[in-house]
Amino acid sequence: MDENAIRAAIFIQKWYRRHQARREMERRCNWQIFQNLEYASEQDQAELYKFFNDLIKHMPQAAGRKNQHHADSNFSLLEEKDDIMDELGDTVDAKIELPIRKSHIDLLIDVFRKKRGNRLHPKYVALILREAAKSLKQLPNISMVSTAVSQQVTVCGDLHGKLDDLLVVLHKNGLPSSSNPYVFNGDFVDRGKRGLEVLLLLLSLYLAFPQAVFLNRGNHEDSVMNARYGFIREVEGKYPRNHKRLLSIIDEVYRWLPLGSVLNSRVLIVHGGISDNTSLDLIKSIDRGKYVSILRPPLTDGEPLDKTEWQQIFDIMWSDPQAVMGCVPNTLRGAGVWFGPDTTENFLQRHRLSYVIRSHECKPNGHEFMHDNKVITIFSASNYYAIGSNKGAYIRLNNQLMPHFVQYISAASQSKRLSFKQRMGMVESSALKELAVKMRDYRDELEDEFKKFDSDNTGCITITNWCYVMEKVTKLGLPWRLLRDKLAPGTDSHMVNYNTTLDLLDTDVIMEAEADGTSVMDALYANKASLVAIFNIIDADNSGEITLDEFETAIDLLTAHMPGDYSKEEMLEKCRMMDLNGDGKVDLNEFLEAFRLSDVQRRQQQDENIRRRSEVRSTTKPSDPVTELAERIHRNTVIVETDIDPSDCEAKVIKPN
């Protein structure tokens, strides 16, 4: 071969390898942004659990107090009543009646797959929810699944409101039957826009095929999580006149969902994972009806709270596997544990099991093996972060429990029309948009920290200092140096104009995305049950009013075990401000009103900040790179809703080695 041809081939090969390495680095960087943001957001919710846990630990008189109604007291919610109002606007003329049959399933699928007019009449929604809750209540905590008759079983992971993915699974794998059973492993709602349809369809499948559909509870089957991640807003938007009643019945569904499944007495299927303390015998004996929310204290009916029991449920819902040995608190999520291969091996030996199937984590290919193939992660929501970000998958296990994976991408035609570069651009834009929205929480703090390194007020700092500030303030653990060109575009390789970062955060695209989100305060105030539980714990004498002495006791506890930015005197003054009528005590209405007023003030401050920055932007035009980046983010993250076509997918079977 000619020497020049060989040199050319070597040159092309080197170029291709560098190109592929750069693409892989970009993909991993985007993935890290998505995952770290997701886990950082969940930390906020996990803090609520820790807050309750610490309060109960250090205020034992509150632990045994009846702070909510007992499990059976809401049974009236499950009784059929004429308490559902007609909704404004059109609902689908589709009649659902008991018992639920395959014809009803076909009807629901046909109704739900349409982009418009897909609302069932609320009385049928309530009918499905009530019937499912009553039936689920009769099930054990751990469902026993067998392939003795069917010779195979299908396991699906997180769906997160992705109705298109659920319909793809049913289209490719068939409806449930005695010869085609399913296990759906939690996280049916939140994040996606069709969570209610996913939940109703799964519950209807369970009612129609009770011996062939097994539903496990996930960490998002929880009203506290729903307040933060969109499901409550979804229900309110679809059923504004009935959402309170429907959400109350949904809570009843959540509390009675089984906590896991065991297949052929050899495979454990739970949503999150295990810990070194996980005991299936203990989990089987728990009264799961007490746990309306896993993040709030369970219903105790005046009996002492068993924190060991609470922790058991928390660990199987929230934990993740790790490659290294040991079992340590999951600091990334702020909840559950990271469990290593040794923890898995000990657990399997102790319970005479072969392996564990879990979900809870998005994976690029929809599935992943860990711990010498003894832990399998399955995730069924494709395009989870953005179109093209990941594949979904489900597992089919035969009678010998050999797993076969079916991997798919829903709405495949949308991504087929795009080049590889366009798909990467969409994923990158979605990642940057999510990151910029999160960074807006720290916008003022970032500006203050940047200026500490800019004593001459030039608007520029070194890239090292820029990276240091970004990590110090956000604590997101991201490769900031790689992200510099995206978040602070410029030509100088050593200096960064930090105003370009701040300008990006102040663009309309990012501020509108922020307004569409839900803050921790929004979630807490929307889920008043958490505030009521906090009130009852602080109300030590159970009088229905909190005295200043009771506040002081709670503050001493908070400052001793959960130190914050406020002094004791400052917190006491805030407590005095809650006493709106000046009688020296704070009742529940005053307590809730104080949070409402605080929320109103916070929103007003946000609006004022936006107005002030808009005035600045009107006089100081953002740089062209910032404008170009904001426009690209907007262009690449606009989603057009269409009817769902389950056949519009790419799927392939993956056999394990």
Side-chain angles (χ1 to χ4, degrees):
M1 184 181 289
D2 183 81
E3 183 178 345
N4 289 333
I6 294 175
R7 286 179 176 175
I10 292 173
F11 175 80
I12 292 172
Q13 189 178 56
K14 286 182 177 179
W15 173 86
Y16 179 75
R17 286 175 176 171
R18 283 198 300 269
H19 176 269
Q20 290 299 94
R22 187 165 59 252
R23 288 297 185 194
E24 178 62 15
M25 183 175 66
E26 290 175 355
R27 187 193 69 79
R28 292 188 183 189
C29 184
N30 292 332
W31 191 262
Q32 189 175 357
I33 292 173
F34 282 130
Q35 200 161 61
N36 286 18
L37 286 174
E38 180 179 3
Y39 292 169
S41 181
E42 288 186 341
Q43 280 185 3
D44 297 333
Q45 303 306 109
E47 284 300 318
L48 181 62
Y49 163 79
K50 292 180 180 176
F51 174 72
F52 281 126
N53 211 353
D54 284 344
L55 277 180
I56 291 171
K57 179 179 179 181
H58 301 289
M59 297 180 73
Q61 77 281 359
R65 179 138 15 96
K66 182 167 94 172
N67 49 52
Q68 302 177 58
H69 299 296
H70 183 263
D72 287 330
S73 66
N74 283 335
F75 187 73
S76 60
L77 284 172
L78 306 185
E79 296 174 349
E80 290 194 33
K81 300 177 182 178
D82 189 19
D83 58 352
I84 299 295
M85 298 180 286
D86 289 334
E87 287 289 343
L88 299 175
D90 295 333
T91 55
V92 174
D93 184 21
K95 185 177 181 181
I96 305 296
E97 57 188 4
L98 299 178
I100 303 291
R101 302 186 186 280
K102 181 181 178 299
S103 58
H104 297 117
I105 302 298
D106 294 335
L107 177 61
L108 287 174
I109 290 175
D110 187 56
V111 168
F112 289 163
R113 61 180 293 271
K114 301 292 197 312
K115 68 174 180 178
R116 298 189 184 279
N118 57 359
R119 285 194 313 170
L120 277 184
H121 192 285
K123 68 181 179 182
Y124 298 131
V125 176
L127 176 73
I128 294 170
L129 294 172
R130 283 177 173 143
E131 191 65 18
K134 285 189 284 189
S135 180
L136 290 167
K137 186 177 180 181
Q138 310 305 315
L139 300 180
N141 291 345
I142 302 291
S143 301
M144 305 308 292
V145 186
S146 172
T147 60
V149 174
S150 62
Q151 302 299 304
Q152 58 92 33
V153 67
T154 300
V155 181
C156 295
D158 300 37
L159 288 163
H160 278 301
K162 298 294 297 293
L163 179 65
D164 49 353
D165 290 308
L166 175 56
L167 295 185
V168 166
V169 173
L170 297 177
H171 173 75
K172 289 290 182 183
N173 201 57
L175 287 177
S177 67
S178 57
S179 60
N180 189 29
Y182 281 82
V183 178
F184 293 96
N185 200 25
D187 278 13
F188 313 133
V189 301
D190 278 338
R191 303 189 190 277
K193 294 183 178 181
R194 308 295 293 277
L196 184 58
E197 289 82 4
V198 168
L199 181 63
L200 290 174
L201 184 52
L202 288 177
L203 294 177
S204 298
L205 287 169
Y206 162 70
L207 291 171
F209 312 105
Q211 304 304 315
V213 174
F214 302 88
L215 305 176
N216 292 344
R217 186 174 186 175
N219 66 307
H220 278 264
E221 276 66 66
D222 189 311
S223 58
V224 175
M225 297 294 286
N226 297 163
R228 180 73 190 278
Y229 294 103
F231 183 56
I232 286 180
R233 290 176 65 182
E234 178 191 337
V235 178
E236 289 174 348
K238 291 175 179 175
Y239 295 99
R241 302 184 68 186
N242 293 281
H243 70 272
K244 290 184 179 179
R245 172 63 61 176
L246 295 179
L247 288 168
S248 296
I249 308 173
I250 288 171
D251 274 346
E252 293 301 299
V253 172
Y254 288 169
R255 75 198 302 182
W256 296 117
L257 282 169
L259 305 176
S261 304
V262 172
L263 173 60
N264 287 2
S265 301
R266 288 175 53 196
V267 179
L268 174 67
I269 308 171
V270 291
H271 179 72
I274 57 174
S275 73
D276 49 4
N277 294 316
T278 299
S279 167
L280 292 187
D281 289 336
L282 179 53
I283 291 171
K284 289 176 182 177
S285 68
I286 290 173
D287 176 8
R288 72 179 186 277
K290 296 188 297 187
Y291 295 88
V292 181
S293 166
I294 299 164
L295 291 167
R296 290 200 306 265
L299 313 167
T300 58
D301 225 10
E303 306 208 353
L305 172 63
D306 187 342
K307 288 179 59 181
T308 302
E309 175 185 288
W310 191 9
Q311 189 67 47
Q312 289 279 325
I313 295 180
F314 212 81
D315 285 345
I316 63 173
M317 297 291 172
W318 281 85
S319 296
D320 296 310
Q322 62 176 2
V324 299
M325 297 292 185
C327 184
V328 297
N330 191 328
T331 54
L332 196 57
R333 286 190 192 270
V337 300
W338 277 311
F339 60 97
D342 54 334
T343 303
T344 297
E345 188 62 37
N346 292 337
F347 174 83
L348 295 176
Q349 288 184 8
R350 194 165 67 248
H351 292 88
R352 298 180 182 177
L353 297 170
S354 299
Y355 59 91
V356 175
I357 296 176
R358 43 90 63 179
S359 303
H360 196 43
E361 287 184 285
C362 182
K363 298 298 178 183
N365 292 314
H367 69 280
E368 182 181 75
F369 283 101
M370 286 192 73
H371 299 178
D372 196 23
N373 295 347
K374 292 181 179 178
V375 172
I376 300 174
T377 297
I378 189 72
F379 195 87
S380 299
S382 68
N383 304 312
Y384 178 58
Y385 295 124
I387 292 179
S389 64
N390 68 286
K391 297 173 183 175
Y394 56 88
I395 315 176
R396 296 190 65 171
L397 299 106
N398 59 21
N399 210 25
Q400 287 73 45
L401 301 182
M402 178 66 68
H404 292 70
F405 299 92
V406 179
Q407 206 177 62
Y408 57 86
I409 295 181
S410 61
S413 61
Q414 294 185 37
S415 57
K416 276 183 179 178
R417 290 194 294 265
L418 304 173
S419 67
F420 176 78
K421 185 176 181 179
Q422 287 175 318
R423 287 199 298 272
M424 285 293 294
M426 292 185 70
V427 174
E428 180 183 89
S429 295
S430 295
L432 292 176
K433 184 177 181 179
E434 293 288 326
L435 177 56
V437 169
K438 181 67 175 177
M439 286 166 56
R440 272 197 61 81
D441 292 343
Y442 309 104
R443 198 265 183 212
D444 292 337
E445 192 176 348
L446 283 169
E447 185 172 14
D448 292 341
E449 290 294 325
F450 285 143
K451 288 181 176 179
K452 289 180 182 179
F453 291 96
D454 183 21
S455 56
D456 296 331
N457 201 28
T458 63
C460 294
I461 59 177
T462 66
I463 187 171
T464 300
N465 288 337
W466 182 84
C467 294
Y468 170 78
V469 170
M470 294 297 286
E471 181 57 30
K472 177 187 176 184
V473 174
T474 67
K475 299 179 176 63
L476 290 174
L478 294 174
W480 296 110
R481 194 171 289 268
L482 291 176
L483 291 169
R484 175 264 163 102
D485 289 340
K486 311 297 182 184
L487 299 175
T491 56
D492 194 321
S493 59
H494 301 291
M495 302 297 290
V496 176
N497 182 346
Y498 58 81
N499 286 315
T500 58
T501 302
L502 301 176
D503 287 344
L504 173 62
L505 303 187
D506 291 341
T507 56
D508 292 337
V509 172
I510 303 306
M511 289 198 294
E512 288 169 6
E514 180 193 35
D516 289 339
T518 306
S519 70
V520 180
M521 179 62 78
D522 292 330
L524 185 60
Y525 184 69
N527 203 313
K528 294 184 179 68
S530 296
L531 295 177
V532 173
I534 293 170
F535 178 90
N536 287 331
I537 291 174
I538 298 175
D539 178 19
D541 60 3
N542 204 17
S543 65
E545 295 176 320
I546 301 176
T547 65
L548 199 60
D549 288 341
E550 288 172 330
F551 266 128
E552 189 167 2
T553 301
I555 289 170
D556 287 338
L557 165 66
L558 290 172
T559 54
H561 300 281
M562 293 177 284
D565 298 329
Y566 295 105
S567 67
K568 178 178 178 179
E569 290 69 25
E570 288 175 317
M571 286 194 284
L572 274 173
E573 181 57 32
K574 293 183 184 296
C575 294
R576 292 189 186 96
M577 292 169 64
M578 289 185 181
D579 180 15
L580 301 179
N581 62 7
D583 65 355
K585 300 176 181 178
V586 176
D587 62 22
L588 180 59
N589 288 332
E590 289 175 317
F591 189 75
L592 295 176
E593 180 66 6
F595 276 88
R596 189 189 70 80
L597 293 174
S598 175
D599 193 38
V600 169
Q601 185 179 25
R602 179 183 60 83
R603 289 175 183 273
Q604 289 174 343
Q605 185 62 50
Q606 284 182 339
D607 292 341
E608 174 61 24
N609 290 341
I610 291 172
R611 185 193 63 77
R612 178 170 54 82
R613 288 167 189 152
S614 295
E615 290 177 352
V616 173
R617 288 204 311 277
S618 66
T619 57
T620 307
K621 187 178 179 181
S623 62
D624 288 340
V626 171
T627 304
E628 181 183 339
L629 177 59
E631 289 176 351
R632 179 158 56 86
I633 288 174
H634 175 68
R635 186 171 59 251
N636 285 340
T637 54
V638 172
I639 298 175
V640 179
E641 268 196 87
T642 60
D643 288 357
I644 297 174
D645 179 5
S647 64
D648 179 18
C649 65
E650 291 180 353
K652 64 178 179 178
V653 178
I654 310 284
K655 295 184 179 181
N657 295 330

